[in-house]
Amino acid sequence: MEIQIAHYLVVAGILFAVGLTGVVVRRNAIVILMCLELMLNAANLALVAFSRVHRDMQGQVFVFFAITVAAAEAAVMLAIIIAVYRQRQTVNVDEMDLMQG
Amino acid sequence: MNAMNLPLMLPEIALVVLGIVVLLADLVLPKEKRHLLGWWVAAAFSAIVVYLFVRPAAGEPEYAAFGLYRLDGFAIFMKKVFGLAGVLVAVMSVDWVKRHGRAAGEFFTIVVFAMTGMFLVASVNDLMSMFVSLELVTLSFFILAAFRVADRISGEAGIKYIIVGALAAAFMLFGTAFIYGATGQIRFDAVRGAIERLAEPAYPTLLFGAVTLLVGLGFKVASVPFHVWVPDVYQGAPTPVTAFLSVGSKAAGFVLIVRMLTLVFGEALSNELTPLLALTAALTLFYGNLAAIPQTNIKRLMGYSSIGHAGYLLLGVVAIVAMQRGGHSYGSGVSAIIFYLFAYVFTNMAVFLGIVAFSATAGRKHAIDDYAGLGKRSPFLALTLTVALLSLAGVPPLAGFFGKFYLISSVVEASAVAGNGWLLVLAAIGAVNVVVSMYYYLCVVKRIYMREPPENASPILLGAPVRVALMACMALVVIIGIFQGPFVKMATAVLATIR
Amino acid sequence: MEPILAAAGAGHAVAFYAMAALAVASAVLMMTQRNPVACVLWLVVCFVGLAGLFVTLEAYFLAVIQVLVYAGAIMVLFLFVIMLLNLRPEDLKAVALPRIPLVGVVAALLLLAAVVTVISASRPYFGMSVAGILAEVGPTKDSVRDIGLPLFRDWLLPFEATSILLLAAIVGAVALTKRKV
């Protein structure tokens, strides 16, 4: 059976869903960040597949920007996690409940 | 359209230079003088706003960066609003930065970069720049929200905000990918052209992309069910940052929603998006206003209030999509959103200026009960806070009342034009929520005037710049309310350039 | 460069299924592992699988970037932070999967709904053969040039905006983590 573009989109959809589920069920901030990276990568796969559909490079250029943004986001989030860990000795989002109401 | 046309991007270039200058000046200045950088930033923002006012306006949209940058009346208008809000944020930050004395230069650098992102958001004309610019805004806000890391709740706010914000980015990117997939184009006008010629089978792909993208933008504007981050981030972030966030993130999100609906999607998705957005608007209104009632912390209250206001603004969005069906003119929805955003930004800024000034003397607990007897401790601050809160509640003849009035009447008009009776229900829900929201705003006002101040309470001292800023905001709120004519005309003039 | 896989027919299918299985399986393992270090390593495997999928689409340069920048640099940053924080064993226990069955059910439904939606949205792309497209566009000669030229010519504005974004991220990360100002 020949591989269709849709196969790639389905893989992208599955990876996106796995990442989303991870963001919802996991409690460790670092692991949540990894799940978010996975979601961005799923979008990248869809972009590359679509760039083949339209036979142009715009989708692949977009992936470049997505990777850069993901890297910047990861750096900032890891910095915040380190700063919070110094205060609280935890990276568990369930324990971050100082504010209620 | 096919030129770099750098002079058009002068405000953005100036902002980037300003950011770098502030960063370098931080190295040279002695530590006790670094908070003064805030005045440089306020002055530079003011200069940029003045430039935007005196700049000769072209009737037609102008393009730069090979068509990726679009400067039309809407973009210029939003840049003026962002710039003025930035001036107020810089003014209220100076004192805060001085008191907390941490990384002053870095703080103002990030504020400037956030402003650069907001300016770009107002002008983007393609999906890639849209993604990158919006991420520039949110990434700067992540950093600012967590800026006071020594304060436990600031770090907590930062983590919660960045998780939800990155989730929104993932949704936006995934949605954008499918819009690109359905159309094969990136630039807004090209996407629009491709949508008009779209083959029937590709339609579900486009719809999926559009809805996923709107989910991502829904996070930024704090609409239900993507609002969970708002109360915690509003409460935990440093107060000047909360003020910046409450106008910056929301206005940037709505600018992009309006851009996507008017420049990109057109009437193609109107049938599917109208019920979806109407439901979101109704839920957002009810959730924001009902959940605000039991709050005891003023910043948290403003967080829920901000969700409620996202609901009102979504009314305008619903009016746009409903009227697009059948190619009707959707002008009243857009001009209502423009008017409301204008009024909301300055009203909200007045409240946060008041909160910053109050907490400088009375402590950083931000309990609503602390505001008891403020009328005796500082009659001026009490008056400005009261006017701003009443305007947010929608008491005539203040700006907020007419904002809500135009939004609700645009929904009523859309109902008549599109022949959709359900939209009348939505308009009624909007009206009911105005009454609900009055309750919690008036509770704060009641504490300010009807309660006695605590025994050892000292008078609240206001610095001259804060006093001037408060007066300017209050004057705008009252003037927009009483003489709306010119402002409605302004909104309509902006509208003429949007297509 | 010869079109490695376009003409290969069955080889293309085998490569796709192998890489897709690798990516999905390691993503699921990443999501369910208790130990954050194991999570990072599974995510690296997943990214290698994604790079493989990029190769089957003849996006060679992105495949290289995916391994060098993503799996190589960004994931090492994650590892550094996990080691730096020196998470204690109880933290590792606390990151287990949901204790409330309801959350699990909701998560499963969410996963299912997302996948079904994506499949229905990609309906028009069933019947669009990748091998056919790759054969039609001919061999990818220079994917660096294909990406680089538009990046610096047509897409200069987002490129410059990205540089500001990175500067903001650097300044922010330093300002947030340094102890003394």
Side-chain angles (χ1 to χ4, degrees), chain B residues 78-152:
Chain B
M78 285 318 299
K79 286 177 190 186
K80 287 174 192 163
V81 173
F82 286 143
L84 287 172
V87 175
L88 295 174
V89 169
V91 167
M92 64 176 108
S93 303
V94 172
D95 194 38
W96 183 87
V97 167
K98 190 178 173 189
R99 260 184 294 138
H100 297 289
R102 189 172 185 283
E106 284 88 341
F107 181 88
F108 287 114
T109 308
I110 303 290
V111 168
V112 173
F113 285 153
M115 186 59 70
T116 316
M118 282 147 77
F119 269 50
L120 282 173
V121 160
S123 273
V124 290
N125 198 31
D126 71 282
L127 297 170
M128 277 190 218
S129 310
M130 177 177 87
F131 179 70
V132 175
S133 318
L134 196 58
E135 284 317 298
L136 175 54
V137 178
T138 37
L139 193 90
S140 311
F141 279 143
F142 297 153
I143 299 164
L144 292 175
F147 209 81
R148 200 175 139 61
V149 276
D151 191 343
R152 286 169 152 224

Side-chain angles (χ1 to χ4, degrees), chain A residues 79-91:
Chain A
I80 296 179
I81 289 174
I82 290 176
V84 170
Y85 186 83
R86 279 187 195 146
Q87 289 287 318
R88 317 258 297 249
Q89 269 69 50
T90 181
V91 292

Side-chain angles (χ1 to χ4, degrees), chain B residues 26 29-37 94 97-98 101 104:
Chain B
D26 179 63
L29 286 175
K31 203 178 165 196
E32 63 279 5
K33 284 199 174 162
R34 285 184 196 158
H35 66 275
L36 299 175
L37 285 169
V94 172
V97 167
K98 190 178 173 189

Side-chain angles (χ1 to χ4, degrees), chain B residues 431-462:
Chain B
V432 167
N433 273 284
V434 175
V435 181
V436 175
S437 71
M438 265 183 206
Y439 173 76
Y440 60 85
Y441 291 119
L442 288 178
C443 277
V444 182
V445 175
K446 190 179 93 184
R447 285 203 181 74
I448 291 177
Y449 282 111
M450 314 284 275
R451 298 272 176 83
E452 287 303 308
E455 299 224 329
N456 51 357
S458 53
I460 309 285
L461 301 172
L462 296 178

Side-chain angles (χ1 to χ4, degrees), chain B residues 45-64:
Chain B
F45 284 177
S46 316
I48 290 171
V49 173
V50 169
Y51 167 77
L52 287 170
F53 269 104
V54 299
R55 185 182 173 284
E60 290 293 300
E62 298 167 83
Y63 293 93

Side-chain angles (χ1 to χ4, degrees), chain B residues 139-229:
Chain B
L139 193 90
S140 311
F141 279 143
F142 297 153
I143 299 164
L144 292 175
F147 209 81
R148 200 175 139 61
V149 276
D151 191 343
R152 286 169 152 224
I153 63 173
S154 179
E156 191 175 314
I159 285 206
K160 286 179 176 169
Y161 190 25
I162 199 166
I163 288 175
V164 178
L167 192 62
F171 271 96
M172 272 190 67
L173 189 66
F174 206 65
T176 315
F178 274 74
I179 293 175
Y180 165 69
T183 61
Q185 298 294 342
I186 296 282
R187 229 165 64 187
F188 285 172
D189 48 337
V191 177
R192 174 70 174 268
I195 287 177
E196 278 161 9
R197 297 186 305 272
L198 196 66
E200 187 59 34
Y203 191 76
T205 315
L206 175 68
L207 183 66
F208 175 77
V211 171
T212 315
L213 174 63
L214 286 176
V215 166
L217 290 174
F219 279 106
K220 312 277 175 191
V221 303
S223 83
V224 171
F226 319 112
H227 61 278
V228 280
W229 59 277

